[in-house]
Amino acid sequence: DDFFCGSVTTLAVAEKLGRRWIGCYLSKFAIQVTRKRLLDIHNSKDLLEESGKKKYGKPARPFELWNIGNYETVYWQEREDEYLAFMLKLYQAQPLTGFRYLHGRKGDRAVHIGPLNAPVTMEEVEKVVIECRANNFTKADILGWEWSYEVNELAKELAGRNGVDLRLIQIPSVNEIKSALVGFDLRLLKVPDQVVEKELSQYVKFSEVAYLEIKTEVKGNEVTLKISDFQLPPTAELAEIASKVRDSRELIDYWAIDWDYKGDTFHNQWQSFKVKKNPRVDYEARHRYEDSGEYQIMVKVVDVFGNDTNKVLRVRVK
């Protein structure tokens, strides 16, 4: 086990020796470095070859990536009601009562605030959608600190089937909120309403999660996917590098495809990612199916900041 896995050396060595391993880290970027190094392990040196010139040559065994939430918000756990009220004010929404999952309303949109120390899950999204439908809300915003890896497109698809126009809204980082609250104790949520409404809302911006567009081409039993557009919501991090980005797709650090997604575990059957020797990804992928029929494809994209965006597609091959 390596609970500060950093440059991934412990995990990589354990993998080459055929040992089981667990790695943890706080940084999304570091986790992405870990994933890429393990996926590229076949190109690294063989530990058992003395000259150091021979490559390991074997792919990494299947591994799972888990998001267990943001530790920075733990101190709000005992003040959940105050936290919800604060977030609704920050989002400029009015509180609602008498509902279990609908915490507020902004215009004609219901608002749900995601959990403090865990990612928003599909189960949570489904409960919000059901409550919206039962109470004649046709539009809803779900605010989250973190998102389970399957939520992005699956959530909108689920909501659409139930007649709900759903937006997934990223809650700004704790540091962004803190920087706009100089002079106030964020832990105690002792911030005057007028400060939240008139000043804080100018500096703390909520935005939708990333937009991913994929073109699909089917010829017989062969399917071609091409990333045609990828847009990140405006953030301070993005502003720092925006002038260097000529094509928004350059913000993709890694993407992978499960060509036969069953709705549960994502199986990494194809991937392209940036490495030092080749700092570009392929925007196009092809796959040939052995059997005709209808297939569900899941695409997972990770941007240069370590954030995941997913999209599910359906194709029929002959």
Side-chain angles (χ1 to χ4, degrees), residues 71-300:
Y71 84 101
E72 293 180 293
T73 59
V74 172
Y75 56 71
W76 275 336
Q77 281 296 315
E78 296 179 358
R79 301 180 178 88
E80 186 175 0
D81 290 342
E82 294 180 43
Y83 156 73
L84 291 175
F86 176 75
M87 281 298 162
L88 288 171
K89 288 178 184 177
L90 199 59
Y91 192 56
Q92 297 182 317
Q94 300 299 315
L96 285 177
T97 57
F99 299 96
R100 186 169 183 182
Y101 299 103
L102 304 183
H103 301 125
R105 181 172 191 159
K106 186 173 183 178
D108 60 351
R109 307 188 72 88
V111 177
H112 170 81
I113 310 295
L116 284 163
N117 64 341
V120 175
T121 64
M122 278 301 298
E123 181 181 2
E124 184 178 352
V125 171
E126 184 175 9
K127 290 175 180 176
V128 172
V129 169
I130 289 173
E131 194 161 50
C132 281
R133 188 174 180 180
N135 292 279
N136 299 317
F137 281 101
T138 59
K139 299 178 182 179
D141 293 345
I142 295 180
L143 280 58
W145 298 91
E146 303 281 351
W147 309 89
S148 289
Y149 294 118
E150 77 280 10
V151 163
N152 194 332
E153 289 298 328
L154 296 182
K156 292 186 178 183
E157 182 181 330
L158 170 68
R161 290 200 305 267
N162 286 275
V164 177
D165 172 24
L166 180 67
R167 296 191 306 193
L168 303 178
I169 306 295
Q170 184 66 49
I171 296 176
S173 70
V174 172
N175 286 337
E176 287 182 74
I177 298 175
K178 283 180 178 178
S179 65
L181 279 172
V182 176
F184 297 99
D185 188 347
L186 185 59
R187 295 192 180 203
L188 299 178
L189 301 175
K190 291 182 177 179
V191 184
D193 291 353
Q194 63 269 26
V195 173
V196 175
E197 295 170 1
K198 295 182 180 179
E199 298 182 28
L200 193 55
S201 60
Q202 297 179 28
Y203 302 103
V204 179
K205 302 298 182 183
F206 292 82
S207 55
E208 287 194 68
V209 295
Y211 170 74
L212 173 64
E213 182 178 290
I214 297 177
K215 291 184 178 179
T216 306
E217 182 180 358
V218 181
K219 290 185 178 180
N221 65 342
E222 184 176 272
V223 175
T224 301
L225 301 183
K226 182 178 181 180
I227 296 180
S228 54
D229 194 11
F230 181 69
Q231 300 289 337
L232 293 180
T235 63
E237 290 176 315
L238 181 58
E240 290 181 4
I241 65 171
S243 61
K244 301 177 183 178
V245 178
R246 293 168 295 179
D247 182 337
S248 60
R249 295 177 298 177
E250 294 174 9
L251 296 169
I252 297 172
D253 190 54
Y254 157 97
W255 71 296
I257 302 172
D258 184 342
W259 295 101
D260 190 13
Y261 179 62
K262 301 296 186 182
D264 45 22
T265 303
F266 177 86
H267 296 276
N268 192 330
Q269 298 174 331
W270 180 95
Q271 70 273 327
S272 177
F273 51 90
K274 294 179 179 179
V275 292
K276 287 184 178 180
K277 293 182 179 179
N278 183 21
R280 300 184 64 181
V281 298
D282 297 322
Y283 299 133
E284 191 171 300
R286 290 184 177 85
H287 181 73
R288 190 181 298 274
Y289 290 91
E290 294 183 1
D291 300 317
S292 60
E294 187 171 313
Y295 291 88
Q296 186 168 252
I297 301 171
M298 184 169 183
V299 177
K300 182 186 296 292

